[in-house]
Amino acid sequence: MAPKSTIPYTRVNADMNDHARDDLLGELRDLPTYPPSTALRREVRVAALGRLAQQKPQTRWQRFFQHLAIPLALSAMSVLYLLRAAADTPLLR
Amino acid sequence: MSSSDAGLVAGLVACEPAALRTVYDRYADRLYSFAVRLSGRPDVADELFQHAWLTLAERAPRLSPDTNLLAWLITVTRNHFRSQHRKALTHRRNEESLAVQHHAPARPDETVAAQHRVARLELALSGLAEHHREVLLLMVEASELPQAELAAVLGLSPAAFRKRLSRARAALQAQLGES
């Protein structure tokens, strides 16, 4: 049986492939951007601004519930369910 | 998220039109470009683009303060495409992938060889499977975002994202070799 080579051929090939693919990624980043048509740009801008004008900023309480109270409640429920599941394992039974 | 994005998110949460105008001017082109390349059809891209901006305007007051706006817009566009258009386009996209190239803006300073190279890349990109195409599109249109954010757009872990990116690059290289 031939002795095993210590030269990491596979690694070298993999590195070469990686370099080639990095070049490819560079080329992809240089691809042109497709801008929307002037009419579409204007139409969507007006529609979005109109839609925003219909919205109202959230009150402090709404923000509190959305960003703090509800996530905290969901986390607490998850922990409770985990504890309940853990209680049924042989280790904690 | 860039610090300027944080200011814009605060403006959007307060429903300030100036904030939306700035976000629109900053990201409209890239979002549209993402939509065109994702769908392969300008008419579908128009609808995806409109949907994303109207959704942003509608949900502006409920945005989280740490929202990355470009990643958010791309996520909305991708999800809408997957839920509304993907099935219908699967059969049509290969036949019509060249339509995108006709839509591409020409750069006056480009040589014929460079234009040919871009056309080949676009064709190869449009010939990829959707899960490979979208991961490469994120690298094209949102390359400045950290990989963790890009992975979150696709609902992947960073490790799974890197693996998919590597496979997508290999697939693109194979497509370029074939063409």
Side-chain angles (χ1 to χ4, degrees), chain A residues 22 27 32 41 45 51, chain B residues 24 29 37 58 117 169:
Chain A
D22 283 345
E27 282 186 57
R41 184 190 293 274
R45 186 189 176 99
R51 189 70 64 92
Chain B
Y24 192 77
D29 285 3
R37 288 197 172 102
E58 206 168 288
R117 178 75 183 159
R169 284 191 295 185

Side-chain angles (χ1 to χ4, degrees), chain A residues 8-71:
Chain A
Y9 286 110
T10 317
R11 186 54 200 260
V12 168
N13 286 340
D15 284 351
M16 283 169 66
N17 282 338
D18 280 350
H19 284 307
R21 287 173 195 167
D22 283 345
D23 289 346
L24 195 58
L25 217 51
E27 282 186 57
L28 279 177
R29 287 189 185 122
D30 286 342
L31 282 176
T33 301
Y34 296 98
S37 66
T38 312
L40 179 73
R41 184 190 293 274
R42 193 179 305 129
E43 184 189 327
V44 172
R45 186 189 176 99
V46 169
L49 285 169
R51 189 70 64 92
L52 185 70
Q54 293 168 6
Q55 312 302 318
K56 285 179 189 163
Q58 286 188 316
T59 63
R60 193 170 293 184
W61 279 110
Q62 284 172 322
R63 277 206 300 275
F64 169 76
F65 274 109
Q66 190 195 336
H67 296 300
L68 200 66
I70 293 174

